[in-house]
Amino acid sequence: MKPKLVGTSWPQGQRDSDPGPFESLRAVVEFLAHSVAKWFMQHERDGVKILDDRRGVLVRLPAERLFAPASATVRPDRMAFLEDFGRVVAEHNLELDLRLEIRLTPGGDLAEEHEIGSRRSTALTRVIRMAASEWRARLQTTIQVVELGAEEAEKDGVTRSVFEFRLAP
C-alpha cells in the first residue's frame, strides 16, 4: 500500500526500494499528512502541500494558514499542528530549512512585508524549537522576496507569503 500525500504521490523506483532514511521520511510524510487532516478544516487545506522532492520532504504552507492578517503571533488553533511538526522533526533528527517567500505586489511596502515576515519566521522557529527540545539537527531560515507583476497580483487567490519547510535526514 502506498502512502497518500497531500499534493502528490510517491514516485516509483527510488523511494520504494531504498532502505535507510527513506523509510523514516515515508513515516514523516504519513504523519504530517494525518496532522494536516486533523488540525486544518477542509477548506483550509487548500494551498497546504506535502511533497517528496527527492532531497527530502517539502511542506508548503500559506502564511495565512498559520497567522492572522498583519500578525506575527501563531494562531492558537495552529499550535497543535506545529507541535506535531516539531516532535516529528526531533524524533527523526531531521535537518530543517525554513524558507519564507514573500510575494510583493506592485506598490507593496517591501520594508513592512519583510519585517512581518521576519517576525513570523522567528515565531515559527520558536514554536518548533519548543516542541523539539531534544532536537540537535541543523536549522536554517531564509527570507526571499518575489516581486509580482501587475497581472499576477490581480489574480484572485494570490498568496502574499508562503512558508516552505524542507526536511532532510
Side-chain angles (χ1 to χ4, degrees):
M1 179 176 118
K2 290 187 176 192
K4 299 287 186 220
L5 304 181
V6 177
T8 190
S9 63
W10 289 102
Q12 294 295 322
Q14 180 184 356
R15 297 274 174 158
D16 292 338
S17 61
D18 285 352
F22 295 117
E23 290 303 316
S24 175
L25 289 179
R26 185 172 295 164
V28 167
V29 169
E30 289 174 352
F31 179 83
L32 290 175
H34 174 73
S35 185
V36 167
K38 181 178 178 181
W39 299 114
F40 289 78
M41 306 265 294
Q42 180 65 40
H43 70 277
E44 294 175 321
R45 294 180 202 152
D46 294 339
V48 176
K49 293 185 171 50
I50 302 173
L51 308 166
D52 169 19
D53 75 346
R54 300 208 183 274
R55 293 179 288 162
V57 175
L58 182 68
V59 179
R60 290 183 57 87
L61 284 160
E64 63 263 17
R65 299 294 187 259
L66 300 170
F67 300 92
S71 171
T73 302
V74 176
R75 289 175 34 186
D77 61 337
R78 293 298 175 249
M79 292 298 286
F81 169 76
L82 291 172
E83 288 168 0
D84 280 355
F85 186 88
R87 279 193 300 271
V88 78
V89 166
E91 181 179 314
H92 295 276
N93 201 36
L94 299 172
E95 292 185 355
L96 173 60
D97 287 331
L98 171 59
R99 181 176 153 269
L100 170 60
E101 179 180 291
I102 298 172
R103 298 174 181 178
L104 190 64
T105 56
D109 185 342
L110 174 60
E112 181 180 324
E113 292 292 334
H114 194 280
E115 190 268 334
I116 193 151
S118 295
R119 291 186 8 225
R120 287 176 168 181
S121 293
T122 300
L124 284 180
T125 302
R126 186 176 299 123
V127 171
I128 292 167
R129 281 251 185 234
M130 286 174 27
S133 60
E134 299 300 315
W135 178 45
R136 301 289 179 245
R138 180 181 65 87
L139 168 66
Q140 177 178 323
T141 62
T142 56
I143 296 177
Q144 176 183 8
V145 177
V146 177
E147 292 191 48
L148 299 178
E151 183 179 303
E152 202 173 6
E154 290 178 10
K155 290 181 186 175
D156 285 339
V158 172
T159 303
R160 285 184 22 199
S161 298
V162 177
F163 283 96
E164 184 176 276
F165 302 87
R166 184 176 305 282
L167 307 171

